[in-house]
Amino acid sequence: MKNDPVVAIVGVTGAVGAEFIATMDRRNVRVGRLKALASARSAGKTLSFRGQTITIEELNERSFEGVDIALFSAGSGISKKFAPIAVRSGAVVVDNSSAFRMDPNVPLVIPEINANRIRDHKGIIANPNCAAITALVPLWPIHQTNRIKRVIIATYQAASGAGAAAMDELVQSTRASLNGQVYTPQVMPHPYAFNLFSHNTTIDPETGYNDEETKVIKETRKIFEDDRIAIGVTCVRVPVLRAHCEAITFECEKPISEHDVRRILATAPGVRIVDDREKNYFPMPVDASGQDDVLVGRIRKDLSDPSGHSIAMFVAADQLLKGAALNAVQIAELLPERAMA
Ligand SMILES: NC(=O)c1ccc[n+]([C@@H]2O[C@H](COP(=O)([O-])OP(=O)(O)OC[C@H]3O[C@@H](n4cnc5c(N)ncnc54)[C@H](OP(=O)(O)O)[C@@H]3O)[C@@H](O)[C@H]2O)c1
C-alpha cells in the first residue's frame, strides 16, 4: 500500500539478509517498497520478494532517500559509516552488527525482554549478539521471578553465525575431507571439518576472553539492566551449519527447583520446552533450524550446588532467525511511528 513503509535491507545477499526477506514475507509485514542493498559485487543481481523482482543496488550515501526503516546486516564497519547517514535521511535503523550495542544512547533490544526500550531510540536500535539472545530469552523470565546472581555459559556455535562464506567453508572442507583431499581454510582460522575450535574472534591478551564472550557478558548486563549479574562464558565454534546450542548453569538468589523452571518457561514468550528424558530427546540444531523459538531442555538441578539455588539446562536456537533477522524484524514491527506490523 502507498503509505506502507519503505524498507531497506543492507547486506541483503548475506546469511542474515536472506532471512530478513524470508522473515518479513512469512510474518506478512507491511512493506511499501523494498530496497535491496549490498556491495558492488552484488549490484545488478536480482532477488524475488512477494512475486516482485528486485534489483540489488550498491550501497552508497544516497541509498536511504525516502527509506523509513533500514535493517542493517553487513558488518560493523558498514554500520558505523552508513547507519548515521540513514538516520540523517529520516530512516530508523535496526542494526545487527556490534557497532552501536554498547552505546548508552542506543537501545539494545530483545522484544520478549525490553520492548519498552524501543521508544528511547534516537534513530538506531541495536540487535544483540546471537549467543546472548539465545541465552537471555529463557533466562529473563526466571530472572524476573527469582533473580539470577550468576550464570555460566558454554556455547556450541554454528558456521552460519560467521556468515554465508563460513557455511560454504564447512560444506567444502567436509566434502574434501571425505574425499581424502587437502582443504586449506579460507574463512575460519582452523580446519572446520570434523573439528571444533575456540570462537574465531579476537582474544584480549589480558583476560583471555574472546570478543564473542565479552559481548555476551556486557550485553547481558545492559539488556537485564543488572550490572551485578556474574557471568562466565566460553564460546566455541562447532561444525554445524545452522543454530547455536548453549549449556547454561545459573544460580538464583532464592532456592529454585527444576519444576519451578519448567513452570516459568512453559508460558514464556519465545521459548519451547523440549525435554524428554525417557526418549533422550533434547534441543538440537536440526530441530531449532528454521524455528522462531529458543528450545530449552535438560532442565535439571545443578548437583555442584547442594544449596538448591542452581539449575543446569541446554538450549538451541536458530541464530539466523531469533539471533538476528527475526529479532530485528520484531523490533521493526514495534516501531510505533513506522506502521510495519
Ligand atoms: N550470521 C549470524 O548469525 C549473525 C547473527 C547476528 C548478527 N550478525 C551480524 O550480521 C552482519 C552480517 O552477517 P552475515 O552472517 O549475514 O554475513 P555474510 O553472510 O558474510 O553477509 C555479509 C553481507 O554484507 C554485505 N557487504 C559486505 N561488504 C559490503 C559493502 N562494502 N557494502 C555493502 N554491503 C556489503 C555483503 O554483500 P555482498 O554479497 O555484495 O558482498 C553481504 O550481503 C554482521 O555484522 C554480523 O555480525 C550475524
Side-chain angles (χ1 to χ4, degrees), residues 8 14 23 27 35-36 50 63 65 77 114 117-118 150 155 174 192 195 234 238 244 263 282 295 298 332-333:
T23 302
R27 292 173 72 86
K35 273 196 102 166
R50 293 183 177 157
S63 296
E65 288 169 10
N114 60 348
R117 287 282 162 225
I118 292 174
R150 180 167 182 251
T155 72
T174 304
Y192 208 177
N195 191 26
T234 302
V238 297
H244 291 350
R263 183 179 39 78
F282 301 112
L295 310 184
R298 301 226 62 206
E333 287 171 351

Side-chain angles (χ1 to χ4, degrees), residues 234-275:
T234 302
C235 288
V236 172
R237 195 68 82 181
V238 297
V240 163
L241 275 176
R242 186 166 171 152
H244 291 350
C245 291
E246 300 182 5
I248 302 175
T249 302
F250 60 88
E251 180 187 356
C252 292
E253 276 185 348
K254 295 177 282 182
I256 186 160
S257 68
E258 61 178 61
H259 172 74
D260 295 332
V261 172
R262 281 207 188 83
R263 183 179 39 78
I264 294 166
L265 294 183
T267 54
V271 170
R272 181 150 58 89
I273 296 177
V274 177
D275 202 14

Side-chain angles (χ1 to χ4, degrees), residues 135-159:
L136 300 189
V137 168
L139 287 178
W140 173 250
I142 298 163
H143 187 64
Q144 278 183 302
T145 314
N146 183 353
R147 183 177 168 273
I148 295 173
K149 289 198 310 191
R150 180 167 182 251
V151 58
I152 308 287
I153 302 170
T155 72
Y156 306 70
Q157 294 183 234

Side-chain angles (χ1 to χ4, degrees), residues 11-17 38-39 41-42 59 73-76 78 96-97 101 130 160-164 319-320 323-324:
V12 75
T13 51
V16 176
S39 77
R41 292 178 288 275
S42 305
L59 173 67
S73 189
S76 63
I78 297 290
N96 249 304
S97 82
R101 288 181 190 149
C130 48
S160 48
Q319 94 296 332
L320 288 174

Side-chain angles (χ1 to χ4, degrees), residues 27-50:
R27 292 173 72 86
N28 227 4
V29 297
R30 290 164 54 187
V31 177
R33 185 162 59 89
L34 180 69
K35 273 196 102 166
L37 302 166
S39 77
R41 292 178 288 275
S42 305
K45 292 181 186 166
T46 58
L47 59 84
S48 173
F49 180 64
R50 293 183 177 157

Side-chain angles (χ1 to χ4, degrees), residues 76 80 97-99 101-102 108 128-132 155 157 161 197-220 231-237:
S76 63
K80 276 184 190 146
S97 82
S98 57
R101 288 181 190 149
M102 295 313 296
L108 182 62
N129 168 276
C130 48
T155 72
Q157 294 183 234
F197 45 85
S198 186
H199 196 275
N200 51 302
T201 40
T202 313
I203 298 175
D204 180 334
E206 296 275 306
T207 64
Y209 280 75
N210 61 47
D211 275 353
E212 186 83 349
E213 293 162 350
T214 307
K215 284 174 193 172
V216 172
I217 294 168
K218 289 185 174 167
E219 293 180 25
T220 298
I231 310 166
V233 196
T234 302
C235 288
V236 172
R237 195 68 82 181

Side-chain angles (χ1 to χ4, degrees), residues 48-118:
S48 173
F49 180 64
R50 293 183 177 157
Q52 282 191 307
T53 301
I54 298 188
T55 303
I56 298 170
E57 299 169 39
E58 180 183 357
L59 173 67
N60 66 50
E61 304 197 352
R62 300 191 56 190
S63 296
F64 301 98
E65 288 169 10
V67 169
D68 297 301
I69 297 172
L71 304 172
F72 271 68
S73 189
S76 63
I78 297 290
S79 292
K80 276 184 190 146
K81 179 171 176 195
F82 286 97
I85 293 172
V87 173
R88 279 199 295 279
S89 299
V92 176
V93 169
V94 184
D95 182 32
N96 249 304
S97 82
S98 57
F100 303 102
R101 288 181 190 149
M102 295 313 296
D103 182 331
N105 289 314
V106 173
L108 182 62
V109 174
I110 301 173
E112 291 83 350
I113 299 178
N114 60 348
N116 58 323
R117 287 282 162 225
I118 292 174

